Amino acid sequence: MSIRSRRWGSSAAALALTAGATLAAVTVGASSAPADTGAACSAVYTIGWQTPTNSPPDFGVTVTVTNNATYAISTWNISWNYTAGQAIIAGSPYSANVVQNGTLVTATPAGSYNATLAPGASTTFGFHGSYNGTSNPVPAVSCTGPSQGSSSAVLSGPLTPLGVNTASWDTNFVDSAISTDLNAAHTGLIRYPGGSWADEYNWQTNTAKSQTQPVNFAQYSNQVDSISGGQKFVTVNYGSDTAASAGAWAKQAATTAGQGVSLWEIGNENYGSWETDNHTGAHTAASYASNGLAYMQAIKSADPKAQICYDYGMDGGLAPGSGVDNWQTWNSTILQADASNIDCADVHWYPINGVPTESVQSIMELVDNIPAAAAEVKSTLSTYDPKAYFVVGETNMSQTANEWNEEPVGALFAAANALEWLSYGAQSVDWWDVHNYGTSTADFGMFSSATGGEPAMDTPYAPYYGYELASKLAVSGAKVSTLSVATPNIYGYSSSAPGGSYSVLLANADPSNAYTVSTASLGITSNSETEYVYSAANPTIAQSTFSGGSLTIPAQSVVVLTNGSGSSPSGSPSASPSHSASPSASASASASASPSSSPSSSPSSSPSASSSGSAGGCTATWSVTNSWSGGFQLGFTVTDSGSKAISGWNVGYSWPGSQTISQIWNATQTQSGAAVTVSNLSYNGALSPSGSTTFGLLGSGAVPTSLPNLSCTAH
């Protein structure tokens, strides 16, 4: 087996609060530009100080981002253009990833701690810049955030709207239960031979890393053909095979009964250093554009009707688990060179990077990132390859195997994620993956692999039920639309099928409360419909006949009404909460420990705790800057308290209880029991006498009122 891996595509250094940010400067009157309202947010750019006599002249800026939406947003993107030659000083940005490319500057959140904003909430980031000493005009700033805006698309393409990934190492993909269940869920576009594994797989010998694989191309083809509407989506080995081999594969597929391929792809995630790539200039856009062209031409030569995808580079500000360095350059370089041979873009969508620590609600809020992501994909293709379409070839809530995948929210996310992408134009949305041979607390699969304490082989996990429910709406030829419901906990979708049947799907992310909506407000005009319900209280699909004027969506559930009549309304139906008689608790210990809301990056005006410690030439002070149920945010300041400059520092302390660190910035940390040691990074270790720097952290557990044994040691 192979467990896929990925690396974050953005620089962690952009999290930095640098020592330079604490330097005193002459302060001038603050100057602000009018806020520009984007899809869900606004931003105000303020010049806090500028020193024209410095060499070079410099200035300091803070940017305040505010969520203008009526729902929580989980990311934002700020941009502006400098008109007077201003330049951001490297290493100075804090609390945001700030990138300057010529005159254009873009900024995205530094991490989850300031990416998620409740309605009306704000966060602030800043940086230092240089200018000519005379002209430093305030630029016009724009802010775009994810939107719950409406969209619809007719599923008229040749691809099955729902799909899933498998791999040559997945012995149990060929089980009869898999074809039966995928058939029931109308999940037919099957991607093979498996993520990163594809760039190790030799199809002619059925080997990868010199090991014979359990499932060869013929076996894979037979299983796909046993699924009604099954289609083959094949990733050729760009990393360690040849263009000639790819062409031979396409020729065999085109000339052998039962092996026809609907979609080809040139390698997997070749923008990433984790991927095998034996070409000169590996993992660069120029190399992929040049060398990938030979693969495309070989496939087209073997099968002129072949449809070919390239690896789309995703914006890491919208999908931290699948972000690509310089994603705009990656896409523009490849498309400008190879557009004539490219039919589609394969988008990989992992909105969380690492093991999720989010709540059920915040996991579902990630769906709100999709409109902005889809807009970027469409804009890129429209600019460079207007004929091309896109598929979401891999998706899950995170690129790291996790317990949430097996929890009820896995069904909610899988259903809403698929229908949102389809509503915004994706031709197919393919879950990662069929089996992943994980554990009962860390898996990706739609089905159990019976490993690590998991249930019996091929037992459906929550995402499978999500896809089965989504398939009630994702019917070929249907018009699938977002369906706005006036509460951030309800995610709604509608579908008008070619035969006139009208269906709706509602996912309730509230783990404790049920909600009731009128069927008329959902656009339903029929007297009765078929109802399907999946909930945390009963995590399987229950089918019944529904009639009546109001529909109750249980806590943490998906409800589908189908085989009715009606049309998607233009308004936003309202929902009223009705407390569940027995709120369902997650079976996961980690789920119950997750904070119910994300911390704000804005420090509290009255910290609830603070103290200081010193030893060996430096002093450390700390304070509680924010707190929420089950978690907290601490800020630390390290100061050179001696008469000589220091080159590094270590801060030590003990937790007063069972607290742990979930995220840290501007420092590294180790924890042994209650004892914690924090050390500087390369850019903030050197301090002059009385100079200082800062670091911060997010913690889990009770808010500490003291940090025993707090000390600072310089070196």
Side-chain angles (χ1 to χ4, degrees):
M1 60 158 286
S2 167
I3 300 298
R4 63 185 298 281
S5 62
R6 187 196 305 277
R7 298 292 183 270
W8 168 260
S10 299
S11 173
L15 294 171
L17 277 163
T18 68
T22 66
L23 296 176
V26 177
T27 302
V28 300
S31 177
S32 300
D36 179 84
T37 301
C41 58
S42 62
V44 175
Y45 177 110
T46 301
I47 299 175
W49 55 265
Q50 55 189 24
T51 54
T53 58
N54 278 6
S55 181
D58 57 353
F59 62 99
V61 168
T62 58
V63 179
T64 300
V65 183
T66 301
N67 177 13
N68 296 327
T70 58
Y71 53 89
I73 63 174
S74 52
T75 191
W76 40 263
N77 190 300
I78 311 298
S79 63
W80 66 87
N81 279 283
Y82 278 133
T83 59
Q86 301 98 318
I88 293 174
I89 296 173
S92 71
Y94 60 91
S95 298
N97 298 303
V98 183
V99 178
Q100 182 170 359
N101 186 0
T103 61
L104 177 64
V105 179
T106 59
T108 54
S112 60
Y113 72 91
N114 71 342
T116 300
L117 297 175
S122 298
T123 188
T124 299
F125 67 90
F127 57 87
H128 293 176
S130 62
Y131 73 115
N132 60 18
T134 57
S135 177
N136 187 20
V138 173
V141 179
S142 67
C143 180
T144 56
S147 169
Q148 283 185 322
S150 61
S151 184
S152 62
V154 177
L155 307 182
S156 57
L159 299 177
T160 303
L162 300 177
V164 67
N165 285 261
T166 190
S168 62
W169 44 255
D170 184 358
T171 304
N172 298 98
F173 170 69
V174 296
D175 292 351
S176 60
I178 297 304
S179 60
T180 298
D181 285 342
L182 292 180
N183 191 62
H186 302 284
T187 300
L189 185 64
I190 314 299
R191 184 169 176 258
Y192 169 92
S196 297
W197 205 240
D199 284 309
E200 294 283 354
Y201 180 70
N202 187 313
W203 75 276
Q204 292 171 312
T205 60
N206 188 39
T207 59
K209 296 185 176 181
S210 302
Q211 297 178 353
T212 300
Q213 298 297 285
V215 180
N216 63 28
F217 179 59
Q219 292 169 308
Y220 153 79
S221 296
N222 288 338
Q223 180 72 320
V224 174
D225 287 346
S226 70
I227 300 167
S228 178
Q231 295 174 318
K232 304 172 192 71
F233 181 4
V234 172
T235 305
V236 299
N237 183 347
Y238 169 85
S240 58
D241 205 351
T242 65
S245 178
W249 198 348
K251 183 176 182 179
Q252 175 177 305
T255 57
T256 304
Q259 292 190 3
V261 171
S262 298
L263 204 57
W264 297 92
E265 180 178 14
I266 311 303
N268 177 78
E269 298 180 356
N270 291 106
Y271 41 72
S273 60
W274 56 87
E275 202 72 26
T276 298
D277 185 354
N278 295 336
H279 297 95
T280 301
H283 313 301
T284 65
S287 175
Y288 183 91
S290 174
N291 294 298
L293 179 60
Y295 286 74
M296 298 175 197
Q297 292 174 335
I299 292 172
K300 293 277 190 179
S301 177
D303 180 6
K305 296 181 180 180
Q307 294 285 292
I308 297 178
C309 290
Y310 87 102
D311 297 341
Y312 181 87
M314 174 51 60
D315 179 354
L318 295 170
S322 48
V324 177
D325 278 335
N326 300 313
W327 59 275
Q328 299 101 324
T329 300
W330 173 269
N331 293 315
S332 63
T333 300
I334 294 164
L335 287 170
Q336 288 182 85
D338 301 338
S340 62
N341 287 281
I342 291 174
D343 302 289
C344 98
D346 179 11
V347 175
H348 289 188
W349 180 251
Y350 295 94
I352 297 174
N353 181 51
V355 177
T357 58
E358 284 77 1
S359 65
V360 171
Q361 289 99 326
S362 60
I363 285 174
M364 290 301 293
E365 285 166 5
L366 298 167
V367 174
D368 291 328
N369 293 8
I370 292 172
E376 288 187 354
V377 174
K378 292 176 182 178
S379 176
T380 299
L381 296 180
S382 175
T383 300
Y384 300 109
D385 191 1
K387 73 180 189 310
Y389 54 92
F390 73 96
V391 297
V392 181
E394 285 187 22
T395 187
N396 200 300
M397 63 185 70
S398 173
Q399 45 60 269
T400 300
N402 64 87
E403 188 170 7
W404 286 111
N405 187 80
E406 301 161 65
E407 296 292 325
V409 69
L412 276 65
F413 178 82
N417 181 66
L419 291 174
E420 189 85 10
W421 271 113
L422 291 172
S423 297
Y424 278 87
Q427 296 296 297
S428 184
V429 185
D430 303 346
W431 192 257
W432 183 273
D433 55 354
V434 175
H435 299 100
N436 210 253
Y437 299 91
T439 70
S440 59
T441 58
D443 206 309
F444 280 120
M446 274 193 176
F447 302 94
S448 168
S449 307
T451 54
E454 293 185 333
M457 176 63 70
D458 298 332
T459 299
Y461 275 142
Y464 170 77
Y465 293 117
Y467 264 52
E468 184 176 357
L469 291 165
S471 74
K472 309 298 181 186
L473 280 69
V475 178
S476 181
K479 180 180 180 180
V480 175
S481 306
T482 56
L483 179 63
S484 181
V485 179
T487 171
N489 285 315
I490 301 292
Y491 297 78
Y493 304 90
S494 68
S495 173
S496 298
S501 176
Y502 180 69
S503 305
V504 298
L505 180 148
L506 301 173
N508 178 9
D510 192 324
S512 302
N513 296 304
Y515 291 86
T516 300
V517 298
S518 71
T519 54
S521 70
L522 300 174
I524 295 173
T525 58
S526 48
N527 294 322
S528 67
E529 299 79 35
T530 303
E531 181 180 35
Y532 302 89
V533 180
Y534 173 97
S535 70
N538 183 30
T540 188
I541 296 177
Q543 179 179 345
S544 62
T545 299
F546 174 85
S547 62
S550 61
L551 175 67
T552 298
I553 308 103
Q556 197 175 165
S557 71
V558 181
V559 175
V560 173
L561 295 182
T562 190
N563 297 324
S565 61
S567 61
S568 184
S570 57
S572 299
S574 60
S576 57
S578 56
H579 293 283
S580 301
S582 54
S584 55
S586 170
S588 163
S590 63
S592 62
S594 299
S596 59
S597 62
S598 297
S600 166
S601 64
S602 303
S604 304
S605 57
S606 302
S608 59
S610 65
S611 61
S612 63
S614 64
C618 62
T619 301
T621 60
W622 71 284
S623 63
V624 178
T625 59
N626 209 343
S627 64
W628 56 95
S629 177
F632 53 87
Q633 181 176 352
L634 304 185
F636 290 78
T637 299
V638 178
T639 303
D640 181 351
S641 56
S643 59
K644 297 181 179 180
I646 63 175
S647 59
W649 46 264
N650 296 307
V651 173
Y653 65 88
S654 297
W655 292 117
S658 57
Q659 295 90 344
T660 57
I661 296 174
S662 57
Q663 182 177 344
I664 191 168
W665 54 96
N666 291 350
T668 61
Q669 57 86 19
T670 58
Q671 181 171 347
S672 178
V676 176
T677 300
V678 180
S679 302
N680 63 276
L681 297 179
S682 60
Y683 57 80
N684 64 348
L687 298 175
S688 57
S690 300
S692 61
T693 189
T694 61
F695 68 90
L697 60 86
L698 301 183
S700 300
V703 181
T705 57
S706 65
L707 293 183
N709 306 315
L710 178 65
S711 65
C712 183
T713 304
H715 54 84

